[in-house]
Coordinates of all heavy atoms in Angstrom, one line a residue:
A375 N -33.8 30.4 -28.8 CA -32.9 31.3 -28.3 C -33.6 32.5 -27.8 O -34.3 33.2 -28.6 CB -31.8 31.6 -29.3
I376 N -33.3 32.9 -26.6 CA -34.0 34.1 -26.0 C -32.9 35.0 -25.5 O -32.1 34.7 -24.6 CB -34.9 33.6 -24.8 CG1 -35.8 32.6 -25.2 CG2 -35.6 34.9 -24.3 CD1 -36.6 31.9 -24.1
A377 N -32.8 36.2 -26.1 CA -31.8 37.2 -25.8 C -32.3 38.3 -24.8 O -33.6 38.4 -24.7 CB -31.2 37.8 -27.0
A378 N -31.6 38.9 -24.1 CA -32.0 40.0 -23.2 C -32.4 41.3 -24.0 O -33.3 42.0 -23.5 CB -30.9 40.4 -22.2
E379 N -31.8 41.5 -25.1 CA -32.1 42.6 -26.0 C -32.5 42.1 -27.4 O -32.1 41.0 -27.8 CB -30.9 43.5 -26.0 CG -30.5 44.0 -24.7 CD -31.5 45.1 -24.0 OE1 -32.2 45.7 -24.9 OE2 -31.5 45.3 -22.9
P380 N -33.0 43.0 -28.2 CA -33.3 42.6 -29.6 C -32.0 42.1 -30.3 O -30.9 42.7 -30.1 CB -33.8 43.9 -30.2 CG -34.6 44.6 -29.1 CD -33.7 44.3 -27.9
I381 N -32.1 41.1 -31.1 CA -31.0 40.4 -31.8 C -30.7 41.2 -33.1 O -31.6 41.3 -33.9 CB -31.2 39.0 -32.0 CG1 -31.5 38.2 -30.8 CG2 -30.1 38.4 -32.8 CD1 -31.9 36.8 -30.9
D382 N -29.5 41.8 -33.2 CA -29.0 42.3 -34.4 C -28.4 41.2 -35.3 O -27.5 40.6 -35.0 CB -27.9 43.4 -34.2 CG -27.4 44.0 -35.4 OD1 -27.6 43.6 -36.5 OD2 -26.8 45.2 -35.3
L383 N -29.2 40.8 -36.3 CA -28.9 39.6 -37.1 C -27.5 39.7 -37.8 O -27.0 38.7 -38.1 CB -30.0 39.3 -38.1 CG -31.4 39.0 -37.6 CD1 -32.3 38.7 -38.8 CD2 -31.3 37.8 -36.6
R384 N -27.0 40.9 -37.9 CA -25.7 41.0 -38.6 C -24.6 40.4 -37.6 O -23.6 40.0 -38.2 CB -25.4 42.5 -38.9 CG -26.4 43.2 -39.8 CD -26.2 44.7 -39.9 NE -26.4 45.3 -38.7 CZ -26.2 46.6 -38.5 NH1 -25.8 47.3 -39.4 NH2 -26.4 47.1 -37.3
W385 N -24.8 40.5 -36.4 CA -23.7 39.9 -35.5 C -23.6 38.4 -35.7 O -22.4 37.9 -36.1 CB -24.1 40.2 -34.1 CG -23.0 39.6 -33.1 CD1 -23.1 38.4 -32.5 CD2 -21.8 40.1 -32.8 NE1 -22.0 38.1 -31.8 CE2 -21.2 39.2 -31.9 CE3 -21.1 41.3 -33.0 CZ2 -19.9 39.4 -31.3 CZ3 -19.9 41.6 -32.5 CH2 -19.3 40.6 -31.7
P386 N -24.6 37.6 -35.6 CA -24.5 36.1 -35.9 C -24.0 35.8 -37.3 O -23.3 34.9 -37.6 CB -25.8 35.5 -35.6 CG -26.8 36.6 -35.5 CD -26.0 37.9 -35.2
L387 N -24.5 36.7 -38.3 CA -24.1 36.5 -39.7 C -22.5 36.6 -39.8 O -21.9 35.8 -40.5 CB -24.8 37.5 -40.6 CG -26.1 37.1 -41.2 CD1 -26.6 38.3 -42.0 CD2 -26.0 35.9 -42.0
R388 N -22.0 37.6 -39.2 CA -20.5 37.8 -39.3 C -19.8 36.7 -38.6 O -18.8 36.2 -39.1 CB -20.2 39.1 -38.6 CG -20.3 40.4 -39.4 CD -19.7 41.5 -38.6 NE -19.8 42.8 -39.2 CZ -19.2 43.8 -38.9 NH1 -18.4 43.8 -37.8 NH2 -19.3 44.9 -39.6
Q389 N -20.3 36.2 -37.4 CA -19.7 35.1 -36.7 C -19.7 33.9 -37.5 O -18.7 33.1 -37.6 CB -20.4 34.9 -35.4 CG -20.5 36.0 -34.4 CD -19.2 36.4 -33.8 OE1 -18.4 37.2 -34.4 NE2 -18.9 35.9 -32.7
L390 N -20.8 33.6 -38.2 CA -20.9 32.4 -39.0 C -20.0 32.4 -40.2 O -19.3 31.5 -40.5 CB -22.4 32.3 -39.6 CG -23.4 31.9 -38.5 CD1 -24.8 32.0 -39.0 CD2 -23.2 30.3 -38.0
A391 N -19.9 33.6 -40.8 CA -19.0 33.7 -42.1 C -17.6 33.6 -41.7 O -16.8 33.0 -42.5 CB -19.2 35.1 -42.7
A392 N -17.2 34.0 -40.5 CA -15.8 33.9 -40.0 C -15.5 32.5 -39.6 O -14.4 32.0 -39.9 CB -15.6 34.9 -38.9
A393 N -16.4 31.8 -38.9 CA -16.2 30.5 -38.3 C -16.3 29.4 -39.3 O -15.7 28.3 -39.2 CB -17.1 30.2 -37.1
Y394 N -17.2 29.5 -40.4 CA -17.5 28.6 -41.3 C -17.3 29.1 -42.8 O -18.2 29.2 -43.5 CB -18.9 28.0 -41.1 CG -19.1 27.4 -39.8 CD1 -19.6 28.2 -38.7 CD2 -18.9 26.0 -39.6 CE1 -19.7 27.7 -37.5 CE2 -19.0 25.5 -38.2 CZ -19.4 26.4 -37.2 OH -19.5 25.8 -36.0
P395 N -16.1 29.5 -43.1 CA -15.8 30.1 -44.4 C -16.1 29.2 -45.6 O -16.5 29.7 -46.7 CB -14.4 30.5 -44.4 CG -13.8 29.6 -43.4 CD -14.8 29.4 -42.4
N396 N -16.1 27.9 -45.5 CA -16.4 27.0 -46.6 C -17.9 26.6 -46.7 O -18.2 25.9 -47.7 CB -15.6 25.7 -46.4 CG -14.1 25.9 -46.6 OD1 -13.7 26.6 -47.5 ND2 -13.3 25.3 -45.8
C397 N -18.7 27.2 -45.8 CA -20.1 27.0 -46.0 C -20.7 28.3 -46.6 O -20.0 29.3 -46.8 CB -20.8 26.9 -44.5 SG -20.3 25.3 -43.7
W398 N -22.0 28.2 -47.0 CA -22.7 29.3 -47.6 C -23.4 30.1 -46.5 O -24.4 29.5 -46.0 CB -23.6 28.8 -48.7 CG -22.9 28.4 -50.0 CD1 -22.7 29.0 -51.1 CD2 -22.4 27.0 -50.2 NE1 -22.0 28.3 -52.1 CE2 -21.9 27.0 -51.5 CE3 -22.4 25.8 -49.4 CZ2 -21.3 25.9 -52.1 CZ3 -21.7 24.7 -50.0 CH2 -21.2 24.8 -51.3
T399 N -23.0 31.3 -46.1 CA -23.7 32.1 -45.1 C -24.8 32.9 -45.8 O -24.5 33.5 -46.7 CB -22.7 33.0 -44.4 OG1 -21.7 32.1 -43.8 CG2 -23.3 33.7 -43.3
F400 N -26.0 32.7 -45.3 CA -27.1 33.4 -45.9 C -28.1 34.1 -45.0 O -28.0 33.9 -43.8 CB -27.9 32.3 -46.6 CG -28.5 31.2 -45.7 CD1 -29.8 31.5 -45.2 CD2 -27.8 30.0 -45.5 CE1 -30.3 30.5 -44.3 CE2 -28.3 29.1 -44.7 CZ -29.6 29.3 -44.1
S401 N -28.8 35.0 -45.5 CA -29.8 35.8 -44.8 C -30.9 36.2 -45.8 O -30.6 36.9 -46.8 CB -29.2 37.1 -44.2 OG -30.2 37.9 -43.6
V402 N -32.1 35.7 -45.5 CA -33.3 36.0 -46.3 C -34.5 36.2 -45.4 O -35.0 35.2 -44.8 CB -33.6 35.0 -47.4 CG1 -34.8 35.4 -48.2 CG2 -32.4 34.8 -48.3
D403 N -34.9 37.4 -45.3 CA -36.2 37.6 -44.5 C -36.1 37.0 -43.1 O -37.0 36.4 -42.7 CB -37.4 37.2 -45.3 CG -38.7 37.7 -44.6 OD1 -38.6 38.8 -44.0 OD2 -39.7 37.1 -44.7
G404 N -35.0 37.2 -42.4 CA -35.0 36.8 -41.0 C -34.5 35.3 -40.8 O -34.3 34.9 -39.7
L405 N -34.3 34.6 -41.9 CA -33.8 33.3 -41.9 C -32.3 33.4 -42.1 O -31.8 33.9 -43.2 CB -34.4 32.4 -42.9 CG -33.8 31.0 -43.0 CD1 -34.4 30.1 -41.8 CD2 -34.2 30.3 -44.2
I406 N -31.4 33.0 -41.1 CA -30.0 33.2 -41.3 C -29.3 31.9 -41.0 O -29.9 31.1 -40.1 CB -29.4 34.4 -40.4 CG1 -29.5 34.0 -38.9 CG2 -30.1 35.6 -40.7 CD1 -28.7 34.9 -38.0
G407 N -28.1 31.6 -41.5 CA -27.4 30.4 -41.2 C -26.2 30.3 -42.0 O -25.8 31.2 -42.9
A408 N -25.5 29.2 -41.9 CA -24.3 28.8 -42.7 C -24.4 27.4 -43.1 O -24.1 26.5 -42.3 CB -23.0 29.0 -41.8
T409 N -24.9 27.1 -44.3 CA -25.1 25.7 -44.7 C -24.0 25.1 -45.5 O -23.3 25.8 -46.3 CB -26.4 25.7 -45.5 OG1 -26.6 24.3 -45.9 CG2 -26.3 26.5 -46.8
P410 N -23.7 23.8 -45.1 CA -22.6 23.2 -45.9 C -23.1 22.4 -47.1 O -22.4 21.9 -47.9 CB -22.1 22.1 -44.9 CG -23.3 21.7 -44.0 CD -24.2 23.1 -44.0
E411 N -24.4 22.4 -47.4 CA -25.0 21.5 -48.4 C -25.6 22.3 -49.6 O -26.5 23.0 -49.5 CB -26.1 20.7 -47.8 CG -26.6 19.6 -48.8 CD -27.0 18.3 -48.1 OE1 -27.2 18.3 -46.9 OE2 -27.5 17.4 -48.9
L412 N -24.9 22.2 -50.7 CA -25.3 22.8 -52.0 C -26.3 21.9 -52.6 O -26.0 20.9 -53.1 CB -24.1 23.0 -52.9 CG -24.3 23.5 -54.3 CD1 -24.8 25.0 -54.2 CD2 -23.1 23.4 -55.2
L413 N -27.5 22.4 -52.7 CA -28.6 21.6 -53.3 C -28.3 21.6 -54.8 O -28.3 20.4 -55.4 CB -30.0 22.2 -53.1 CG -31.2 21.5 -53.6 CD1 -31.3 20.1 -53.1 CD2 -32.5 22.3 -53.4
V414 N -28.1 22.8 -55.4 CA -27.8 22.7 -56.9 C -27.2 24.1 -57.3 O -27.6 25.1 -56.8 CB -29.0 22.4 -57.8 CG1 -30.0 23.5 -57.7 CG2 -28.6 22.1 -59.2
R415 N -26.2 24.0 -58.1 CA -25.6 25.1 -58.8 C -25.7 25.0 -60.4 O -25.4 23.9 -60.9 CB -24.1 25.5 -58.4 CG -23.5 26.5 -59.2 CD -22.0 26.6 -59.1 NE -21.6 26.9 -57.7 CZ -20.9 26.0 -57.0 NH1 -20.5 24.8 -57.5 NH2 -20.5 26.3 -55.7
R416 N -26.2 26.0 -61.0 CA -26.2 26.0 -62.5 C -25.3 27.2 -62.9 O -25.6 28.3 -62.5 CB -27.6 26.1 -63.0 CG -27.7 26.1 -64.5 CD -29.1 26.3 -65.0 NE -29.3 26.4 -66.4 CZ -29.4 27.4 -67.1 NH1 -29.3 28.6 -66.5 NH2 -29.6 27.4 -68.4
E417 N -24.3 27.0 -63.7 CA -23.4 28.0 -64.1 C -22.9 27.6 -65.5 O -22.1 26.7 -65.6 CB -22.3 28.3 -63.2 CG -21.5 29.5 -63.5 CD -20.4 29.9 -62.4 OE1 -20.7 29.8 -61.3 OE2 -19.3 30.1 -62.8
K418 N -23.3 28.3 -66.5 CA -22.8 28.3 -67.9 C -22.9 26.7 -68.3 O -21.9 26.2 -69.1 CB -21.4 28.8 -68.0 CG -21.4 30.2 -67.7 CD -20.0 30.7 -67.8 CE -19.9 32.2 -67.5 NZ -18.5 32.9 -67.5
G419 N -24.1 26.1 -68.1 CA -24.3 24.8 -68.7 C -23.8 23.6 -67.7 O -24.1 22.5 -68.1
L420 N -23.1 24.0 -66.6 CA -22.7 22.9 -65.7 C -23.6 22.9 -64.5 O -23.8 23.9 -63.9 CB -21.2 23.1 -65.3 CG -20.6 22.1 -64.3 CD1 -20.5 20.8 -65.0 CD2 -19.2 22.6 -63.9
I421 N -24.0 21.7 -64.1 CA -24.8 21.5 -63.0 C -24.1 20.7 -62.0 O -23.5 19.7 -62.2 CB -26.2 20.7 -63.4 CG1 -27.0 21.6 -64.3 CG2 -27.0 20.4 -62.1 CD1 -28.2 20.8 -64.9
T422 N -24.1 21.2 -60.7 CA -23.4 20.5 -59.5 C -24.2 20.5 -58.3 O -25.1 21.4 -58.1 CB -22.0 21.2 -59.2 OG1 -22.3 22.6 -59.0 CG2 -21.1 21.1 -60.3
S423 N -24.1 19.4 -57.5 CA -24.8 19.3 -56.3 C -23.9 18.6 -55.3 O -23.3 17.6 -55.6 CB -26.1 18.5 -56.5 OG -26.8 18.3 -55.3
R424 N -23.9 19.1 -54.1 CA -23.0 18.5 -53.0 C -24.0 17.8 -52.0 O -24.9 18.5 -51.5 CB -22.2 19.5 -52.3 CG -21.5 18.9 -51.0 CD -20.3 19.8 -50.5 NE -19.3 19.5 -51.4 CZ -18.0 20.1 -51.2 NH1 -17.9 20.8 -50.1 NH2 -17.1 19.9 -52.0
V425 N -23.9 16.5 -51.9 CA -24.8 15.7 -51.1 C -24.1 15.3 -49.7 O -23.0 14.8 -49.8 CB -25.3 14.4 -51.8 CG1 -26.2 13.6 -50.9 CG2 -25.8 14.7 -53.1
L426 N -24.8 15.7 -48.6 CA -24.2 15.4 -47.3 C -25.2 14.5 -46.5 O -26.4 14.9 -46.5 CB -24.0 16.6 -46.4 CG -23.1 17.8 -47.0 CD1 -23.0 18.9 -46.0 CD2 -21.8 17.2 -47.4
A427 N -24.8 13.3 -46.1 CA -25.6 12.4 -45.3 C -24.6 11.5 -44.6 O -23.8 10.9 -45.2 CB -26.6 11.7 -46.2
G428 N -24.8 11.4 -43.2 CA -23.9 10.6 -42.4 C -23.0 11.6 -41.7 O -22.2 12.3 -42.4
T429 N -23.1 11.6 -40.4 CA -22.4 12.8 -39.6 C -21.8 12.2 -38.4 O -22.4 11.2 -37.7 CB -23.5 13.8 -39.2 OG1 -24.1 14.3 -40.4 CG2 -22.8 15.0 -38.5
I430 N -20.7 12.8 -37.9 CA -20.1 12.5 -36.7 C -19.5 13.7 -36.1 O -19.1 14.6 -36.8 CB -19.0 11.3 -36.8 CG1 -18.7 10.7 -35.4 CG2 -17.8 11.9 -37.5 CD1 -17.9 9.4 -35.6
R431 N -19.6 13.8 -34.8 CA -19.2 15.0 -34.1 C -17.7 15.1 -33.9 O -17.1 14.1 -33.6 CB -19.9 15.2 -32.7 CG -19.6 16.5 -32.1 CD -20.5 16.7 -30.8 NE -20.5 18.1 -30.3 CZ -21.3 18.6 -29.4 NH1 -22.3 17.8 -29.0 NH2 -21.3 19.8 -29.0
R432 N -17.1 16.2 -34.0 CA -15.6 16.4 -33.9 C -15.4 16.6 -32.4 O -16.1 17.0 -31.7 CB -15.0 17.5 -34.6 CG -15.2 17.4 -36.2 CD -14.5 18.5 -36.9 NE -13.0 18.2 -36.7 CZ -12.1 18.7 -37.6 NH1 -12.5 19.4 -38.6 NH2 -10.8 18.4 -37.4
T433 N -14.1 16.1 -32.0 CA -13.8 16.2 -30.5 C -12.8 17.4 -30.3 O -12.7 17.7 -29.1 CB -13.1 14.9 -30.1 OG1 -11.8 14.8 -30.9 CG2 -14.0 13.7 -30.4
G434 N -12.1 17.9 -31.3 CA -11.1 18.8 -31.1 C -9.7 18.3 -31.0 O -8.7 19.1 -31.1
D435 N -9.6 17.0 -30.9 CA -8.3 16.3 -31.0 C -8.1 15.8 -32.3 O -8.8 14.9 -32.8 CB -8.4 15.1 -29.9 CG -7.0 14.4 -29.8 OD1 -6.6 13.8 -30.8 OD2 -6.5 14.3 -28.7
D436 N -7.2 16.3 -33.0 CA -6.9 16.0 -34.4 C -6.7 14.6 -34.8 O -7.3 14.0 -35.7 CB -5.6 16.8 -35.0 CG -6.0 18.3 -35.1 OD1 -7.2 18.6 -35.1 OD2 -5.0 19.1 -35.2
A437 N -5.9 13.9 -33.9 CA -5.6 12.5 -34.1 C -6.9 11.6 -33.9 O -7.2 10.8 -34.7 CB -4.5 12.0 -33.2
H438 N -7.6 12.0 -32.9 CA -8.9 11.3 -32.6 C -9.9 11.6 -33.7 O -10.6 10.6 -34.1 CB -9.5 11.7 -31.2 CG -10.6 10.9 -30.8 ND1 -11.5 11.3 -29.8 CD2 -11.0 9.6 -31.2 CE1 -12.4 10.3 -29.6 NE2 -12.1 9.3 -30.5
D439 N -9.9 12.8 -34.2 CA -10.9 13.1 -35.3 C -10.5 12.4 -36.6 O -11.5 12.0 -37.3 CB -10.9 14.6 -35.6 CG -11.7 15.4 -34.4 OD1 -12.4 14.7 -33.6 OD2 -11.5 16.6 -34.4
L440 N -9.2 12.2 -36.9 CA -8.9 11.4 -38.0 C -9.4 10.0 -37.9 O -9.9 9.4 -38.8 CB -7.4 11.4 -38.2 CG -6.8 12.7 -38.8 CD1 -5.2 12.6 -38.9 CD2 -7.3 13.0 -40.2
A441 N -9.3 9.4 -36.7 CA -9.8 8.1 -36.5 C -11.3 8.1 -36.6 O -11.8 7.0 -37.2 CB -9.3 7.5 -35.1
L442 N -11.9 9.1 -36.1 CA -13.4 9.1 -36.3 C -13.8 9.2 -37.7 O -14.8 8.6 -38.1 CB -13.9 10.3 -35.4 CG -14.0 10.2 -34.0 CD1 -14.5 11.5 -33.3 CD2 -14.8 9.0 -33.5
A443 N -13.1 10.1 -38.5 CA -13.4 10.2 -39.9 C -13.2 8.9 -40.6 O -14.1 8.5 -41.5 CB -12.4 11.2 -40.5
A444 N -12.2 8.1 -40.3 CA -12.1 6.7 -40.9 C -13.2 5.8 -40.5 O -13.7 5.1 -41.3 CB -10.7 6.2 -40.4
S445 N -13.7 5.9 -39.2 CA -14.8 5.1 -38.8 C -16.1 5.5 -39.5 O -16.9 4.6 -39.8 CB -15.0 5.1 -37.3 OG -15.4 6.4 -36.9
L446 N -16.2 6.8 -39.7 CA -17.4 7.3 -40.5 C -17.4 6.7 -41.9 O -18.5 6.4 -42.4 CB -17.4 8.8 -40.4 CG -18.6 9.5 -41.2 CD1 -19.9 9.2 -40.5 CD2 -18.3 11.0 -41.3
A447 N -16.3 6.7 -42.5 CA -16.2 6.3 -43.9 C -16.4 4.8 -44.1 O -16.8 4.3 -45.1 CB -14.8 6.6 -44.5
R448 N -16.4 4.1 -42.9 CA -16.6 2.6 -43.0 C -17.9 2.3 -42.3 O -18.3 1.1 -42.3 CB -15.5 1.8 -42.2 CG -14.1 2.0 -42.8 CD -13.2 1.0 -42.1 NE -13.1 1.2 -40.6 CZ -12.2 2.1 -40.0 NH1 -11.2 2.6 -40.7 NH2 -12.2 2.2 -38.7
S449 N -18.7 3.2 -41.8 CA -19.9 2.8 -41.1 C -21.0 2.4 -42.0 O -21.4 3.2 -42.9 CB -20.4 4.2 -40.2 OG -21.7 4.1 -39.8
S450 N -21.5 1.3 -41.9 CA -22.5 0.7 -42.7 C -23.8 1.6 -42.6 O -24.5 1.8 -43.5 CB -22.8 -0.8 -42.4 OG -23.1 -1.0 -41.1
K451 N -24.1 1.9 -41.4 CA -25.4 2.7 -41.1 C -25.3 4.1 -41.8 O -26.2 4.5 -42.6 CB -25.5 3.0 -39.6 CG -26.7 3.9 -39.3 CD -26.2 5.3 -39.0 CE -27.4 6.3 -38.6 NZ -26.9 7.7 -38.5
D452 N -24.0 4.8 -41.8 CA -24.0 6.1 -42.4 C -23.8 5.9 -43.9 O -24.3 6.8 -44.6 CB -22.7 6.8 -41.8 CG -22.9 7.2 -40.4 OD1 -23.8 8.1 -40.1 OD2 -22.3 6.7 -39.4
L453 N -23.1 4.9 -44.4 CA -23.0 4.7 -45.8 C -24.3 4.4 -46.4 O -24.6 4.8 -47.6 CB -22.1 3.5 -46.1 CG -20.6 3.9 -45.8 CD1 -19.7 2.6 -45.9 CD2 -20.0 4.9 -46.9
E454 N -25.2 3.7 -45.7 CA -26.6 3.4 -46.2 C -27.4 4.7 -46.3 O -28.0 4.9 -47.4 CB -27.3 2.4 -45.3 CG -28.7 2.1 -45.7 CD -29.5 1.3 -44.6 OE1 -29.1 1.2 -43.5 OE2 -30.5 0.6 -45.1
E455 N -27.3 5.5 -45.3 CA -28.0 6.8 -45.2 C -27.5 7.6 -46.4 O -28.3 8.3 -47.1 CB -27.8 7.5 -43.9 CG -28.5 8.9 -43.8 CD -28.0 9.6 -42.6 OE1 -27.5 9.0 -41.6 OE2 -28.3 10.8 -42.6
H456 N -26.2 7.7 -46.6 CA -25.6 8.5 -47.7 C -26.1 8.0 -49.1 O -26.3 8.8 -50.0 CB -24.1 8.5 -47.6 CG -23.4 9.6 -48.5 ND1 -23.3 10.8 -48.1 CD2 -22.8 9.4 -49.7 CE1 -22.7 11.4 -49.1 NE2 -22.4 10.6 -50.1
E457 N -26.1 6.7 -49.3 CA -26.5 6.1 -50.5 C -27.9 6.6 -50.9 O -28.2 6.9 -52.1 CB -26.4 4.6 -50.5 CG -26.6 4.0 -51.8 CD -26.7 2.4 -51.8 OE1 -26.3 1.9 -50.7 OE2 -27.0 1.8 -52.8
F458 N -28.9 6.5 -50.0 CA -30.2 7.0 -50.2 C -30.1 8.4 -50.7 O -30.9 8.8 -51.7 CB -31.0 6.9 -48.9 CG -31.4 5.5 -48.6 CD1 -31.3 5.1 -47.2 CD2 -31.9 4.6 -49.5 CE1 -31.6 3.8 -46.9 CE2 -32.2 3.3 -49.2 CZ -32.1 2.9 -47.9
A459 N -29.4 9.3 -50.2 CA -29.4 10.7 -50.4 C -28.8 10.9 -51.8 O -29.3 11.7 -52.6 CB -28.6 11.5 -49.4
V460 N -27.7 10.3 -52.1 CA -27.0 10.4 -53.4 C -27.9 9.9 -54.5 O -28.1 10.5 -55.5 CB -25.7 9.7 -53.5 CG1 -25.1 9.7 -54.9 CG2 -24.7 10.4 -52.5
R461 N -28.5 8.8 -54.3 CA -29.5 8.2 -55.4 C -30.6 9.1 -55.6 O -31.0 9.3 -56.8 CB -30.0 6.9 -54.9 CG -30.7 6.1 -55.9 CD -31.3 4.8 -55.5 NE -30.4 4.1 -54.6 CZ -30.8 3.2 -53.6 NH1 -32.1 3.2 -53.2 NH2 -29.8 2.6 -52.9
S462 N -31.2 9.7 -54.6 CA -32.3 10.7 -54.8 C -31.9 11.9 -55.6 O -32.7 12.4 -56.5 CB -32.9 11.1 -53.5 OG -32.2 12.1 -52.8
V463 N -30.7 12.4 -55.4 CA -30.2 13.6 -56.2 C -30.0 13.2 -57.6 O -30.4 13.9 -58.5 CB -29.0 14.2 -55.5 CG1 -28.3 15.2 -56.4 CG2 -29.4 14.8 -54.2
A464 N -29.2 12.1 -57.8 CA -28.9 11.6 -59.2 C -30.2 11.4 -60.0 O -30.2 11.8 -61.2 CB -28.0 10.4 -59.1
D465 N -31.2 10.7 -59.4 CA -32.4 10.4 -60.1 C -33.2 11.7 -60.5 O -33.7 11.8 -61.6 CB -33.2 9.5 -59.2 CG -32.8 8.1 -59.2 OD1 -31.9 7.7 -59.9 OD2 -33.2 7.4 -58.2

Side-chain angles (χ1 to χ4, degrees):
I376 307 164
E379 301 291 337
I381 299 170
D382 185 338
L383 298 182
R384 297 172 299 176
W385 179 266
L387 273 177
R388 280 191 181 189
Q389 302 288 88
L390 289 167
Y394 300 88
N396 291 321
C397 293
W398 289 265
T399 301
F400 60 88
S401 173
V402 181
D403 192 27
L405 180 74
I406 67 168
T409 178
E411 188 151 3
L412 177 68
L413 183 62
V414 66
R415 175 192 295 119
R416 179 183 181 265
E417 186 174 320
K418 298 179 180 178
L420 181 64
I421 296 170
T422 52
S423 178
R424 171 163 287 184
V425 184
L426 305 182
T429 306
I430 196 166
R431 186 169 190 168
R432 297 191 70 159
T433 66
D435 181 300
D436 289 344
H438 191 196
D439 285 345
L440 284 175
L442 289 175
S445 69
L446 179 64
R448 296 190 302 267
S449 165
S450 58
K451 175 262 180 187
D452 291 293
L453 288 169
E454 179 187 20
E455 179 188 344
H456 190 80
E457 182 183 353
F458 287 134
V460 172
R461 189 187 312 151
S462 74
V463 167
D465 289 347

